């Protein structure tokens, strides 16, 4: 074992031990992928470390190797299992190891295979599944299924069973080594079908049909092995010790799993039919239907559920790099290498597969179980009919399927005898139309692809002729050509408008994206009418850009229509439905309806977890959006775990340098900031700004948001001069990208004014506040929380200028809005309460001020860390109020402690520190402690 291998094992064991047992298979699926030896080593050590969590750190690589090797069944060291002499290992799987052995008591001399539970895997669930497999084998007697010969229990109480030993090769290697022709492979495959059909007749679904589980003997007989994850269709027919299948575990081999296996849905014989289709696809073409370089497990599962595989006759022309199942080597598959082991010539192989075999394989692999062959026997019979030159069931656009669908839509019309003829004609027309539609879709895809390739020729040196060509140039040229050249192809035109519109959007060119998406929507409405998935997509995409443009009033009806349409056409549980729900939740969030946004986001998150599992980018997106809503509601403790989980998922899936990772860092930093962890917030924003500039360039709205947030963290520590240029750059970017009157321009302007206000530049700050407030009211409305926050800031400035009446009116307006929006309290509400309380003290209403100040201080104390300057600011204001009420003994500790904190956190020259000092001096003067007052007055004059 190399040091590198040992380090890899240690890391995986440590990660697995941190998770619940039920979460570990997904981790190992993702990290080990096709490296089965690595997975075996990790699983063995996990079992050993369960009893001693520090064991992994105590082990050396050699000691670990010894432990892993001894991690095979404890009985191996005795060299006998019951009456059998163990001779060596054949292989191992998820729960057991298989050995070759001989009968040791001389009753007869026969080589056999013995399967035992591996050390560390002898949990009750695994032992139950092991006995389950043994009972299944005992019930099967077929020439193409490995037979059970014997069984028993070891001295240590572990079950084992003895099977006939198959001397043979896995079916794909057997076929390639002997260069079997397509016809020979089909005949061999029909024998495999016979074994699976027999199992189905005995109410058993194999669930793991793949080449390594089908061995072919030297005389050419295939043998089906390994029923370790098989499912009983009627468990009640067997012993009650058989454990039911646990859906969450979803045992399977992903490359050969059916869509229903991937989704965790009920498994029937149709699942084996699908896996047989994948097996036949590979035997005929040499390729796997969804195999691609760098494909993650989640990407593979999405392909299985959502992507249609290439026709086998097309796949044989594919060139791709593939990795052997043991991960030890890589090879290139090409038309020449594939045909060399089959028909000799690529064109000859393609002709053999084109037509019937294309349709037979793809019918077996249909996404919907009910559209596959009704049984394995029917699948095999269709192959026989093809071999005999007879018509097959799997004809292109099957008449039976199309007619059945038509009849179901018109079942009442069938009742009349005279309508039968009309129905037959209508069905025929429907078939022709469906076929034509499929042809149009293929034609459209080809035209879209050709067009996109053509517009990107602009970047070719021979086309550019020495000029620097930007992505914007390419998109602008493409958009112009779509309008001019595709007027007679509205379907293609709409698709390309939608595609290029989304690319514009991704680059931050929202004003260019919106018109294209609007035209795409209009074209699709004309082409498809009111209810169509393409129309729903256009509504959704346009709604997304309206969110980016901060036009939530336009976005909301678009997204509500898209959501209703998708629910009607796709059902309530679908990833596209979740996408529209997610965007609608964002609209509600931006409009300040946090309660409705939170409810919708929680529903979306739950749906996405059900559909996609926990490790998915869409799930991370929902976690982030929910966390952001909770943050804006002032529930930062509740928000932080969601944002941390979202960031962790995306880092695992996408790496550290990804745009979504950068966005999630912004949001987590905002929560850190709100909780008073300014140093961590600033660190995250600085790290994120470098990443954002690298990913987006210097003029993207996301960079503007990062600049603003970093400036906010800097302003909070009183470094106003350092923050000012960051705010100004953010405003300039957003004005150019979104417009002069976007609410983010207003937000950044308000923050810039706050920095100027903080350094005492009231003359420049006031018009900026007023300009921001005007935009907020126009874009978000008078009752939006951001409007209220800006109003409070302007009111505090007026207070400092001496306009107490104007300031009080504004503060009471803000207070009314915030109490309505945040009934449970909020940091903005606390700021307004403290400001209004301080003003009332100045106006002589200390009695009315006390409750406001205590409520504001109470919220800050409950939400922020001890020592936070905002807590000190509220304590100082309350101390001044109590002093005005002549409750000096209560006021003094508040005023002295808050002054010390503000000096330490904000510095002597900060205005809040100065105000705290002035209150303390006034206290001692009112108490008659003139020496103390003089002492602090001297400190003030020395500044």
């Amino acid at each position: 074992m190399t040091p590198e291998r040992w380090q890899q094992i240690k890391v995986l064991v440590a990660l697995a031990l941190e998770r619940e047992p039920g979460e570990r298979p997904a981790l190992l699926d993702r990290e080990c992928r096709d490296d089965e030896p690595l997975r075996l080593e990790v699983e063995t050590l996990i079992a050993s470390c369960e009893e001693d969590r520090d064991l992994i750190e105590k082990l050396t690589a050699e000691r670990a190797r010894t432990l892993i090797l001894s991690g095979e069944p404890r009985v191996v060291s005795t060299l006998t299992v019951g009456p059998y002499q163990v001779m060596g290992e054949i292989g191992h799987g998820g729960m057991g190891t298989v050995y070759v052995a001989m009968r040791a008591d001389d009753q007869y001399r026969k080589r056999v295979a013995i399967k035992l539970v591996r050390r560390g895997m002898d949990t009750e669930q695994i032992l139950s599944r092991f006995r389950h497999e043994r009972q299944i084998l005992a019930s099967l007697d077929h020439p193409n299924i490995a037979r059970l010969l014997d069984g028993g229990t070891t001295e240590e109480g572990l079950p084992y069973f003895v099977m006939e030993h198959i001397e043979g090769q896995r079916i794909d290697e057997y076929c390639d080594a002997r260069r079997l022709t397509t016809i020979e492979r089909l005949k061999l495959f029909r024998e495999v079908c016979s074994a699976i059909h027999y199992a189905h007749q005995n109410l058993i679904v194999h669930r793991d049909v793949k080449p390594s589980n089908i061995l072919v003997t030297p005389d050419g007989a295939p043998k089906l092995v390994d029923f370790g994850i098989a499912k009983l269709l009627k468990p009640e027919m067997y012993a009650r010790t058989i454990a039911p299948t646990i859906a969450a575990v979803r045992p399977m081999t992903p490359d050969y799993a059916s869509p229903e296996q991937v989704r965790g849905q009920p498994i029937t014989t149709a699942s084996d039919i699908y896996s047989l289709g994948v097996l036949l696809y590979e035997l005929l073409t040499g390729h796997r239907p969804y195999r691609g370089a760098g494909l993650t497990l989640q990407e593979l599962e999405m392909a299985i559920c959502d992507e249609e595989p290439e026709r086998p006759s097309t796949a044989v022309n594919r060139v791709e790099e593939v990795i052997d199942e043991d991960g030890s080597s890589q090879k290139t598959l090409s038309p020449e290498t594939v045909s060399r082991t089959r028909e000799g010539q690529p064109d000859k192989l393609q002709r053999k597969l084109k037509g019937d075999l294309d349709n037979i394989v793809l019918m077996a692999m249909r996404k919907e179980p009910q559209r596959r062959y009704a049984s394995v026997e029917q699948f095999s019979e269709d192959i026989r009919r093809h071999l005999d030159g007879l018509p097959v069931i799997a004809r292109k656009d099957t008449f039976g399927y199309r007619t059945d669908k038509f009849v179901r839509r018109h079942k009442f019309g069938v009742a009349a005898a005279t309508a039968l003829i009309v129905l037959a004609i209508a069905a025929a027309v429907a078939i022709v139309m469906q076929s034509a539609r499929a042809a149009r879709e293929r034609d459209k895809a080809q035209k879209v692809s050709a067009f996109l390739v053509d517009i990107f020729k602009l970047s070719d040196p021979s086309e550019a002729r020495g000029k620097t060509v930007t992505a914007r140039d390419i998109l602008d040229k493409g958009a112009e050509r779509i309008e001019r050249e595709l007027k007679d192809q509205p379907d293609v035109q709409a698709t390309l408008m939608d595609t290029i519109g989304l690319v514009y959007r991704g680059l931050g060119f929202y004003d260019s994206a919106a018109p294209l998406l609007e035209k795409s929507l209009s074209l699709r409405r004309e082409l498809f009418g009111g209810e169509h998935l393409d129309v729903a997509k256009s509504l959704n995409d346009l709604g997304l850009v309206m969110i980016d443009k901060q036009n939530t009033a336009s976005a909301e009806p678009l997204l509500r229509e898209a959501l209703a349409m998708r629910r009607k056409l796709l059902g309530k549980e679908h990833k596209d439905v979740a996408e529209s729900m997610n965007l609608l939740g964002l609209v509600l969030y931006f409009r300040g309806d946090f309660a409705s946004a939170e409810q919708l986001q929680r529903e979306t998150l739950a749906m996405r977890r059900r559909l996609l599992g926990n490790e998915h980018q869409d799930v991370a997106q929902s976690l982030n959006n929910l966390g952001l809503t909770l943050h804006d509601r002032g529930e930062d403790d509740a928000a932080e775990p969601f944002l941390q989980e979202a960031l962790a998922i995306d880092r695992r899936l996408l790496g550290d340098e990804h745009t979504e990772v950068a966005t999630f860092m912004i949001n987590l930093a905002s929560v850190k900031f709100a909780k008073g962890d300014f140093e961590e917030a600033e660190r995250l924003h600085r790290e994120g700004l470098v990443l954002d500039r690298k990913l987006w360039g210097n003029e993207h709205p996301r960079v503007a948001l990062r600049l603003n947030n970093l400036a906010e963290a800097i302003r909070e520590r009183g470094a106003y001069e350092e923050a000012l240029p960051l705010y100004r750059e953010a405003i300039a970017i957003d004005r150019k990208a979104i417009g002069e009157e976007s609410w983010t321009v207003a937000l950044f302007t308000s923050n810039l004014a706050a920095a100027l206000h903080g350094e005492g530049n009231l003359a420049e700050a006031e018009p900026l506040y007023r300009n921001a407030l005007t935009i907020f009211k126009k874009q978000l409305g008078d009752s939006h929380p951001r409007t209220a926050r800006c109003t409070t800031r302007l009111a505090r400035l007026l207070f400092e200028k001496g306009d107490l009446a104007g300031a009080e009116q504004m503060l009471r307006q803000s207070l009314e809005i915030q109490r309505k929006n945040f009934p449970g309290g909020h940091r903005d509400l606390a700021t307004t309460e403290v400001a209004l309380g301080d003003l009332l003290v100045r106006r002589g209403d200390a009695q009315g001020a006390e409750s406001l100040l205590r409520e504001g201080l109470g919220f800050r104390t409950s939400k922020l860390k001890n020592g936070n300057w905002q807590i000190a600011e509220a304590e100082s204001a309350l101390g001044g109020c109590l002093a005005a009420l002549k409750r000096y003994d209560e006021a003094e500790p508040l005023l002295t402690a808050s002054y010390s904190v503000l000096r330490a956190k904000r510095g002597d020259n900060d205005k809040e520190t100065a105000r705290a000092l002035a209150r303390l001096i006034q206290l001692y003067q009112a108490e008659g402690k003139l020496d103390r007052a003089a002492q602090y007055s001297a400190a003030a004059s020395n500044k």
Side-chain angles (χ1 to χ4, degrees), residues 398-418:
T398 309
F399 179 88
Y401 171 69
R402 300 298 181 193
T403 303
D404 178 66
K405 290 293 184 184
F406 187 89
V407 171
R408 287 176 184 274
R409 290 196 300 269
H410 303 85
K411 57 185 178 182
F412 294 108
V414 180
T418 56

Side-chain angles (χ1 to χ4, degrees), residues 102-159:
M102 295 285 287
R103 182 94 181 186
D105 60 1
D106 288 330
Q107 287 194 18
Y108 58 84
R109 304 294 294 177
K110 183 177 178 65
R111 188 171 290 224
V112 297
I114 298 179
K115 186 168 184 178
L116 305 100
V117 174
R118 291 192 288 112
R119 179 190 291 272
M121 298 298 290
D122 47 333
T123 65
E124 184 54 41
Q125 180 184 339
I126 295 297
L127 291 176
S128 177
R129 191 188 295 172
F130 193 91
R131 297 185 187 100
H132 178 188
E133 182 182 6
R134 188 167 65 183
Q135 286 178 300
I136 286 175
L137 284 172
S139 69
L140 300 178
D141 183 14
H142 188 276
N144 297 116
I145 297 178
R147 288 184 297 117
L148 181 71
L149 302 176
D150 198 357
T153 305
T154 68
E155 293 178 357
E156 297 185 351
L158 297 177

Side-chain angles (χ1 to χ4, degrees), residues 46-58:
I46 289 171
S48 299
C49 291
E50 283 289 5
E51 298 178 1
D52 181 359
R53 287 298 179 109
D54 298 324
L55 176 62
I56 193 68
E57 295 302 326
K58 300 173 187 173

Side-chain angles (χ1 to χ4, degrees), residues 7 100 181 259 264 342 393 440 450 469 520 585 593 619 625 640 653 680 689 708 715 760 786 851 866 927 934:
Q7 184 61 30
V100 64
T181 65
R342 288 163 176 80
I393 296 172
R440 284 199 304 272
V469 179
S520 175
D593 187 356
V619 172
N625 293 349
E640 189 169 1
L653 295 177
E680 177 63 7
L689 179 59
N708 170 80
R715 177 171 68 85
R786 288 192 175 90
S851 61
N866 290 334
E927 281 189 293

Side-chain angles (χ1 to χ4, degrees), residues 438-480:
R440 284 199 304 272
E441 287 297 317
R442 288 194 298 272
D443 186 51
K444 181 176 75 172
Q446 291 169 355
K447 288 177 180 176
V448 167
S449 176
F451 186 91
L452 291 174
V453 169
D454 196 39
I455 66 168
F456 275 91
K457 286 181 180 177
L458 184 63
S459 62
D460 189 294
S462 63
E463 298 283 338
R465 298 181 182 180
K467 290 166 51 177
T468 299
V469 179
T470 66
R472 181 66 183 266
D473 294 331
I474 294 171
L475 292 172
D476 289 347
K477 186 74 173 176
E480 178 189 335

